[in-house]
Amino acid sequence: MKVLFVGAGASGIVGAISYKRNHQKDDVLIIEHLDAPLKKLLATGNGKCNLANTKLDLNKYSHPEFVKDILVEYDYVSFFDSVSVKTKAMGELVYPVSETAVSVRNALIGEAERLGIKINCSEKLLDYKRVNNCIEVITDKDKYVVEKLYLAGSLCSTKNLGSDGSVLSILRNHGYKIKEPLPGLCPIVTKENTKLLDGTRIKSEVSLYQNSNLIHKEKGEVLFKKNGLSGIVIFNVSALIARSQNKANKFVLDLLPEYSETELEKYWQIHSFDGFLQAFLHPTIIKYLKERFSTNEEIFRAVKHLEFTFKEAYGFEFAQVSVGGVDLSMVDARLESVKERNIYLLGELLDIDGPCGGYNLTWAFGSAIRATN
Ligand SMILES: Cc1cc2nc3c(=O)[nH]c(=O)nc-3n(C[C@H](O)[C@H](O)[C@H](O)COP(=O)(O)OP(=O)(O)OC[C@H]3O[C@@H](n4cnc5c(N)ncnc54)[C@H](O)[C@@H]3O)c2cc1C
């Protein structure tokens, strides 16, 4: 065996395809501890697989400069065309035309099979060690001696989809510098009680603060839960809170971003206060505001400035990404380990995360192509 990939997820499969296309004579094996490849991919984009973004803003990644250098070689249109996946943009979000992740999974597995890549499922990496110029890979089923080892085992987000942190533990034992992962892109538990609002959805503008400095502002739909908030805009806020090591812990909702305070004040002057609330807000929100605040002035302020305090993230089981991972100083520009030659680190395993909208799959695929070119 010449080359072994750990993890038949987004970066592992694409990395193996890219490697094999460039080195047709080399034997390539992927080991995957779940019973099937690409299980997480099937869950992406609500089953539709939001695999790229037409307006990718590199500044939204946790380490823009590092990502910029890597993604420069990755063109999602030509890569997916090469595996017979036609993509289309819905707004700025890119999906397969079939609108199902099953097509993407089938295309990637089909291409891997066509190239002669072997995928061993239900086989878990336990450890590896250097033997002369090669690497001995130790799994729960076998031992392999390989020339190159690609680690694509991700971090801790959603254990039932394969991310159990086991590869990170192995790297920790090998002395890699690690930024301890925290759950990102997940709902948030708030200190304030939101039980009354459970199930209510509102379009609002969310501002995130760290020590009273505004660090992020985004419009979107917020879904209230019995102990906190959810929705894409909240997912993005949760990742930024994790990036700040939970120091950015105040966020404020503008419940009526389309109206200025002056406009709303004028309406209140002409109508009664209850008339004003009724004219602009969902009845459940009105009930909540009246329970949480005592005076009309406090309620009026909360309409444009409803403050919440981060208590904790919902946890890795609900997280689309892990924020943190192997420190970027541990790899070079081709994602080869600077500690151990011929070992490469791909995808989420590295300390890179991006917001919702195709950013994380773009990183997984793009990093895989860079490391194998
Ligand atoms: C519900 C959900 C929805 C998402 N939606 C989107 C979206 O629409 N767009 C987007 O860009 N991103 C999305 N993401 C994020 C995206 O799926 C991940 O960023 C991406 O899959 C990471 O790729 P990866 O190859 O690093 O890891 P993964 O895809 O997680 O693959 C890692 C693989 O390694 C295997 N593995 C782990 N440890 C071992 C071991 N010790 N031995 C053998 N195998 C091992 C795992 O089982 C897994 O198959 C979503 C995530 C979730 C959970």
Side-chain angles (χ1 to χ4, degrees):
M1 191 57 58
K2 195 111 180 178
V3 176
L4 192 143
F5 283 76
V6 175
S11 62
I13 294 266
V14 168
I17 290 172
S18 163
Y19 182 92
K20 186 74 179 169
R21 283 176 175 173
N22 294 328
H23 309 85
Q24 285 165 18
K25 290 196 180 127
D26 291 1
D27 286 334
V28 177
L29 169 69
I30 311 179
I31 60 159
E32 165 57 54
H33 68 157
L34 295 182
D35 60 1
L38 291 172
K39 276 199 163 176
K40 192 187 279 181
L41 190 89
L42 289 183
T44 59
N46 284 325
K48 292 204 257 180
C49 189
N50 174 201
L51 54 84
N53 190 303
T54 55
K55 292 190 179 152
L56 199 77
D57 177 355
L58 297 173
N59 289 318
K60 292 186 176 173
Y61 282 105
S62 48
H63 295 283
E65 283 308 313
F66 189 86
V67 170
K68 185 175 155 196
D69 185 43
I70 307 280
L71 292 184
V72 79
E73 278 170 17
Y74 173 55
D75 169 7
Y76 75 86
V77 178
S78 59
F79 175 76
F80 279 101
D81 193 46
S82 79
V83 293
S84 305
V85 171
K86 178 91 181 133
T87 58
K88 66 171 178 186
M90 291 157 81
E92 63 190 52
L93 309 183
V94 178
Y95 295 90
V97 169
S98 66
E99 288 190 36
T100 170
V102 176
S103 304
V104 182
R105 181 202 58 182
N106 291 352
L108 293 174
I109 294 175
E111 178 66 358
E113 281 171 357
R114 192 190 69 74
L115 289 165
I117 295 166
K118 195 163 177 243
I119 306 177
N120 284 1
C121 291
S122 305
E123 182 164 0
K124 190 177 178 94
L125 175 76
L126 298 181
D127 205 355
Y128 63 86
K129 62 181 181 207
R130 300 204 77 85
V131 179
N132 302 324
N133 278 337
C134 292
I135 304 152
E136 185 179 78
V137 179
I138 302 139
T139 77
D140 58 353
K141 297 256 170 78
D142 221 329
K143 278 183 185 171
Y144 307 88
V145 176
V146 297
E147 286 179 16
K148 283 181 197 280
L149 174 62
Y150 288 86
L151 298 173
S154 72
L155 292 170
C156 313
S157 42
T158 52
K159 195 174 173 184
N160 64 326
L161 299 176
S163 307
D164 63 354
S166 55
V167 177
L168 194 69
S169 301
I170 294 167
L171 289 172
R172 192 180 284 113
N173 292 339
H174 280 253
Y176 280 74
K177 190 175 168 198
I178 283 158
K179 192 164 154 203
E180 282 312 317
L182 291 171
L185 304 186
C186 64
I188 286 172
V189 180
T190 54
K191 287 195 177 154
E192 294 77 12
N193 187 337
T194 57
K195 201 167 174 201
L196 191 62
L197 292 169
D198 189 20
T200 310
R201 290 172 189 272
I202 54 156
K203 294 213 166 59
S204 72
E205 185 169 60
V206 182
S207 303
L208 175 66
Y209 292 87
Q210 180 169 353
N211 302 328
S212 65
N213 294 322
L214 177 70
I215 61 167
H216 180 69
K217 207 177 224 197
E218 185 177 336
K219 278 187 187 161
E221 189 177 75
V222 171
L223 166 64
F224 286 96
K225 301 181 77 85
K226 64 175 187 298
N227 58 350
L229 283 74
S230 185
I232 286 176
V233 57
I234 295 298
F235 285 7
N236 288 338
V237 163
S238 76
L240 295 174
I241 291 175
R243 279 188 206 170
S244 79
Q245 298 289 307
N246 299 349
K247 288 192 186 91
N249 62 358
K250 290 262 177 235
F251 56 99
V252 172
L253 269 58
D254 180 345
L255 303 177
L256 293 169
E258 313 305 331
Y259 298 92
S260 71
E261 213 161 304
T262 322
E263 276 175 282
L264 297 174
E265 208 157 17
K266 269 190 192 152
Y267 199 92
W268 176 13
Q269 277 163 11
I270 298 164
H271 300 77
S272 65
F273 190 64
D274 281 339
F276 152 69
L277 292 175
Q278 182 186 281
F280 287 97
L281 295 168
H282 189 291
T284 316
I285 302 271
I286 299 174
K287 205 169 164 206
Y288 172 80
L289 292 174
K290 286 191 168 181
E291 227 174 64
R292 185 167 158 188
F293 303 100
S294 26
T295 67
N296 287 354
E297 286 68 26
E298 279 173 351
I299 295 174
F300 183 78
R301 182 167 190 279
V303 168
K304 297 284 290 173
H305 197 92
L306 183 59
E307 194 171 302
F308 289 98
T309 319
F310 171 82
K311 187 175 173 200
E312 58 190 352
Y314 255 53
F316 283 117
E317 292 311 297
F318 300 87
Q320 293 192 4
V321 290
S322 302
V323 174
V326 176
D327 195 274
L328 301 176
S329 63
M330 296 278 101
V331 290
D332 66 16
R334 303 221 75 81
L335 304 180
E336 185 176 7
S337 163
V338 294
K339 233 175 116 51
E340 305 173 295
R341 284 290 152 203
N342 292 325
I343 293 186
Y344 295 79
L345 275 59
L346 314 181
E348 196 181 315
L349 198 52
L350 287 163
D351 176 20
I352 296 288
D353 69 276
C356 291
Y359 281 74
N360 291 297
L361 283 175
T362 296
W363 168 247
F365 299 141
S367 62
I369 285 173
R370 161 54 74 97
T372 49
N373 259 345

